[in-house]
Amino acid sequence: MTTEPHSFPRRHARTQRFTLGAPRSFTVAPDGSRVVFLRSGSGTDRANSLWVLDVEGGGERVAADPRALLGGATEDLSPEERARRERSREGGAGIVGYATDSAVELASFALSGRLFAAELRAGTARELPAPGPVIDPRPSPDGRHVAYVARGALRVVGAEGEGDRALAEPESENVSYGLAEFIAAEEMGRSRGFWWAPESDRLLMARVDDTPVQRWWIADPAHPEREPQRVPYPAAGTGNAEVRLFVVGLDGLRTEVAWDRARFPYLAHVHWSAAGAPLLLVQARDQRSQLILAVDPDSGATRMVHADEDRTWLDLFPGVPCWSPSGQLVRIADEGGARVLAVGDRPLTGAQLHVRAVLDVSEHDVLISASAGAEAAGEAETGQVHVYRVNELGVERVSQEPGVHAAVRAGEVTVLVSATLNRPGSRAQVLRDGKPTRTVPSYAEDPGMSPRVTLTEGGARRVPCAVLMPRDYDGDTPLPVLMDPYGGPHGQRVVASHNAHLTSQWFADQGFAVVVADGRGTPGRSPAWEKAVHHDFTLSLDDQVDALEDLAKRHPLDLSRVAIRGWSYGGWLAGLAVLRRPDVFHAGIAGAPVTDWALYDTHYTERYLGTPAEHPESYAKSSLVTAQGLSSPAEPHRPLMIVHGLADDNVVVAHALRLSSALLAAGRPHEVLPLSGVTHITPQEQVAENLLLLQVDFLKRSLGMPAT
């Protein structure tokens, strides 16, 4: 008896988009002898172990196995840990994060709310006694202590388990120490709330008071016996958490760090290295001005190192600001119409590169990730992100093959992680002095399919596009079109990466020509491109239409049968498409859509639209639930499926319910698919599988295509 192979939707869900088993979260020892990383045991194993690679010998060993450490017991996650994983979109299990001392000899991590430490040279792990549930443990740079958060208190314990004590305990249920607040973790890229001094004698510690934040209730209607979860949610125009910063010694004595918190309430980034005083990046609430401040850790006083202003908004970038080893300020800035790397007072890159992140700073150079700038971008560069070495002598590209690349570096050793169009998954190479020496094995499953994708540009604005045709399609007959965008800030979908297009290819194989378009607002081209959506998200829809109509001149697209699907911002865009442009779009699937931007969070929404009180017209124009939002030519009304997880605490289900109510009041037919117990991500295997199948069924019904 043979077993039927699992369908692509089932395999896609079971392997978490074919990411399970792939190595990730790399750390390189400063002497270049070891590379530490996480990896699960197979392409269907969710539980990550902590691994160590011997760079010279090439051998690997497990430093910490979660199953052995828990004795086979099931993981028990606290609500705080579940929230942290939701913010980071973490769907794995076992060891999902770790931190090391400066020598990369000691690692600490939380597992099922318990505290563990691993000796990375010996490859042994042990539990440290600590009150739980433990969150975000981090060794001191000298490896003698581990700091962590438990029940809102910042605590420290000796690396051998001795002397556990609280450095700061919450004064009320609304206060926490050492954790990032919701919008820092969700929107600012700051998942941490404490930072060790390089001398290991004290820490910078954030104090978060959620009292000013309105409370929302997240319930699961499928389980009426369960109490709703009460969560602080800072919706646009409402109160944010109050964030203060302290220097705290190992004896618990603290000194508050002083800056104009009334003018610059957002603590966006903290950097503390041996190269200089602690650095803070603080932003005004409207995100049009920000300061880089240096902290005197003895007095808590701050001095301004650099100030930025922008008429639209100021973006945040991974890895900066920071000090170079020689004490120069390293930052990324929008200057002269380009996004450049600046060291000290001097820009080291120009319009040829669009800098995305700083990966490492050494005495000799800065390692960055970047894509082609607006002046250099073209079809040949569409979707590519490369790693570069930059110094005063020039720019050298580290990654050679076309694709999407990232890197981690220490000393002369770099781990280069590369994804390309012609190779499934990603490949992690260990480079010494720029030359490959090892490849870290991946246990990820092969998808068993390769996307038939063309990366191109569409429309007068040269919108980056990916066009996917069925793998068995060899004719000229125009095909029904499925637009499959995200289409908004921070969400580039058109990338030169094999696995990024797997779901779109599966939809193509059901009989569609699939088009993915990254219009204005999406990252990767120029500051002006990204900031074009200021006060008007609907430009995203204009670019989808322009790209579609232009691509139809070169590809066999049946414009009489066009559908659109998307999730989150893409879900909003799908809803907008069928409501505002039924002349172009004949069906839509809106997954977890932000239908009323006044219900989304402060830091994200106000950056683009301002506050609802000051710019009501921007919110009305971008809303799906106002009279203006529902306005469109009289008939026909296009089929719309609304999908939403009832446990979503990021885009709450009120968005979908308000849209459904508005559509019902307007007499517009639609379908609502509620997902019980599902958050903003859908890690549940059966839910993720059936969600794809139900979408195909809806699209074929709506476009008059034969059922599968």
Side-chain angles (χ1 to χ4, degrees):
M1 175 179 176
T2 59
T3 302
E4 279 292 315
H6 289 302
S7 66
F8 170 82
R10 173 58 66 94
R11 294 185 64 226
H12 187 257
R14 178 167 293 181
T15 61
Q16 292 190 357
R17 302 172 303 282
F18 301 97
T19 62
L20 297 180
R24 62 177 187 134
S25 304
F26 295 94
T27 303
V28 181
D31 63 3
S33 63
R34 296 176 305 285
V35 173
V36 185
F37 59 96
L38 299 177
R39 186 180 57 200
S40 64
S42 74
T44 56
D45 181 10
R46 294 178 60 241
N48 291 290
S49 295
L50 184 66
W51 292 78
V52 178
L53 169 69
D54 178 359
V55 174
E56 293 301 325
E60 294 180 353
R61 61 181 181 277
V62 177
D65 180 343
R67 293 182 175 88
L69 294 174
L70 293 180
T74 303
E75 282 188 80
D76 181 19
L77 302 181
S78 67
E80 294 83 1
E81 179 62 21
R82 291 185 187 278
R84 277 174 53 84
R85 297 189 184 192
E86 182 70 20
R87 301 285 73 78
S88 63
R89 309 297 188 260
E90 173 61 67
I95 305 170
V96 298
Y98 68 96
T100 72
D101 61 353
S102 59
V104 192
E105 295 183 350
L106 179 73
S108 64
F109 54 91
L111 188 59
S112 200
R114 294 153 57 184
L115 176 60
F116 292 87
E119 298 287 350
L120 298 175
R121 287 186 182 273
T124 59
R126 62 184 184 278
E127 183 173 4
L128 302 181
V134 170
I135 296 176
D136 195 27
R138 295 179 177 272
S140 57
D142 63 9
R144 297 177 60 189
H145 297 89
V146 178
Y148 64 97
V149 178
R151 302 190 184 280
L154 179 63
R155 306 184 66 90
V156 67
V157 63
E160 299 300 324
E162 76 284 1
D164 183 274
R165 59 199 180 277
L167 300 182
E169 295 186 274
E171 296 84 0
S172 73
E173 65 177 2
N174 295 333
V175 173
S176 65
Y177 285 93
L179 294 177
E181 73 275 23
F182 175 93
I183 54 171
E186 183 69 41
E187 308 297 359
M188 299 182 202
R190 178 172 66 79
S191 59
R192 303 172 55 178
F194 68 89
W195 300 263
W196 278 102
E199 299 82 13
S200 302
D201 58 343
R202 48 190 168 180
L203 305 95
L204 276 169
M205 167 185 70
R207 178 187 186 271
V208 175
D209 184 352
D210 276 331
T211 301
V213 183
Q214 66 182 2
R215 264 46 182 181
W216 284 1
W217 299 89
I218 307 296
D220 185 353
H223 293 277
E225 75 281 3
R226 297 178 184 171
E227 288 190 4
Q229 182 184 2
R230 186 171 181 257
V231 299
Y233 191 92
T238 69
N240 278 314
E242 180 186 78
V243 180
R244 297 160 64 187
L245 194 66
F246 295 85
V247 179
V248 60
L250 296 183
D251 56 4
L253 294 177
R254 70 175 79 166
T255 302
E256 185 164 5
V257 177
W259 78 91
D260 186 355
R261 290 191 295 111
R263 178 72 182 89
F264 299 96
Y266 288 138
L267 178 64
H269 183 78
V270 177
H271 166 79
W272 200 352
S273 71
L279 283 178
L280 313 181
L281 176 61
V282 294
Q283 278 192 332
R285 177 149 178 172
D286 65 9
Q287 300 172 62
R288 295 183 183 184
S289 59
Q290 64 187 25
L291 301 178
I292 300 174
L293 304 173
V295 180
D296 180 343
D298 294 323
S299 68
T302 57
R303 62 177 174 86
M304 188 178 72
V305 178
H306 184 81
D308 285 304
E309 291 188 355
D310 191 283
R311 290 189 300 174
T312 50
W313 71 74
L314 291 158
D315 276 306
L316 302 174
F317 307 103
V320 288
C322 66
W323 295 120
S324 72
S326 62
Q328 291 185 292
L329 181 67
V330 180
R331 60 190 179 91
I332 297 172
D334 294 348
E335 296 182 2
R339 185 152 291 160
V340 302
L341 171 72
V343 178
D345 296 326
R346 181 180 176 186
L348 296 187
T349 61
Q352 295 301 306
L353 288 183
H354 184 72
V355 180
R356 294 168 173 256
V358 167
L359 307 175
D360 183 57
V361 183
S362 73
E363 295 179 1
H364 309 293
D365 59 36
V366 180
L367 197 70
I368 65 169
S369 68
S371 48
E375 294 185 7
E379 286 199 3
E381 295 288 334
T382 297
Q384 296 192 46
V385 180
H386 286 281
V387 175
Y388 298 84
R389 293 176 59 242
V390 181
N391 57 27
E392 293 184 351
L393 299 178
V395 177
E396 176 189 359
R397 200 166 95 178
V398 176
S399 50
Q400 297 303 316
E401 57 184 343
V404 178
H405 306 267
V408 175
R409 183 180 72 172
E412 302 301 321
V413 172
T414 301
V415 178
L416 180 67
V417 182
S418 304
T420 67
L421 277 176
N422 58 9
R423 185 178 61 237
S426 59
R427 181 175 65 188
Q429 290 183 297
V430 180
L431 315 180
R432 185 180 288 279
D433 297 323
K435 299 176 182 178
T437 62
R438 303 274 179 248
T439 298
V440 184
S442 174
Y443 303 151
E445 285 196 3
D446 189 312
M449 61 186 288
S450 293
R452 182 176 174 175
V453 58
T454 300
L455 299 184
T456 184
E457 295 176 340
R461 283 180 287 272
R462 297 170 41 231
V463 172
C465 296
V467 180
L468 297 100
M469 306 301 286
R471 287 175 293 162
D472 60 357
Y473 178 76
D474 293 317
D476 297 322
T477 303
L479 294 177
V481 182
L482 174 61
M483 302 291 286
D484 191 15
Y486 180 80
H490 307 292
Q492 184 177 1
R493 286 284 316 280
V494 180
V495 291
S497 168
H498 179 283
N499 283 24
H501 301 287
L502 290 175
T503 302
S504 295
Q505 183 62 58
W506 180 77
F507 274 101
D509 289 343
Q510 312 312 306
F512 298 93
V514 177
V515 174
V516 183
D518 283 344
R520 286 168 292 176
T522 56
R525 176 166 288 183
S526 71
W529 178 266
E530 296 179 15
K531 295 177 182 180
V533 295
H534 194 219
H535 291 310
D536 188 3
F537 279 154
T538 66
L539 295 181
S540 301
L541 177 58
D542 296 340
D543 289 347
Q544 296 292 315
V545 174
D546 289 348
L548 171 66
E549 292 176 345
D550 184 49
L551 291 173
K553 301 172 184 176
R554 293 172 276 142
H555 298 273
L557 308 182
D558 181 358
L559 296 188
S560 70
R561 293 184 293 173
V562 178
I564 183 171
R565 67 180 286 269
W567 195 266
S568 197
Y569 189 99
W572 166 82
L573 185 53
L576 187 77
V578 296
L579 294 175
R580 301 278 179 92
R581 295 301 304 270
D583 56 318
V584 176
F585 298 95
H586 307 95
I589 299 173
V594 183
T595 65
D596 181 354
W597 287 99
L599 288 180
Y600 200 60
D601 71 54
T602 53
H603 194 268
Y604 182 97
T605 314
E606 293 172 10
R607 180 191 312 140
Y608 307 115
L609 301 181
T611 64
E614 294 175 346
H615 298 280
E617 72 289 347
S618 297
Y619 282 79
K621 186 173 185 179
S622 298
S623 172
L624 302 185
V625 298
T626 63
Q628 183 176 354
L630 291 171
S631 64
S632 66
E635 292 289 343
H637 294 160
R638 301 304 189 183
L640 175 63
M641 173 186 278
I642 306 167
V643 185
H644 217 119
L646 298 180
D648 196 335
D649 69 348
N650 179 22
V651 183
V652 294
V653 73
H655 287 274
L657 297 178
R658 291 187 183 186
L659 176 57
S660 178
S661 295
L663 292 172
L664 184 62
R668 292 173 176 265
H670 62 283
E671 301 179 17
V672 178
L673 179 60
L675 307 177
S676 178
V678 172
T679 61
H680 200 57
I681 55 176
T682 53
Q684 297 91 333
E685 183 179 316
Q686 286 183 314
V687 172
E689 175 191 22
N690 289 324
L691 189 53
L692 287 178
L693 297 173
L694 289 170
Q695 288 181 63
V696 167
D697 177 69
F698 171 81
L699 293 171
K700 290 195 169 187
R701 283 190 287 112
S702 300
L703 297 182
M705 299 167 62
T708 302

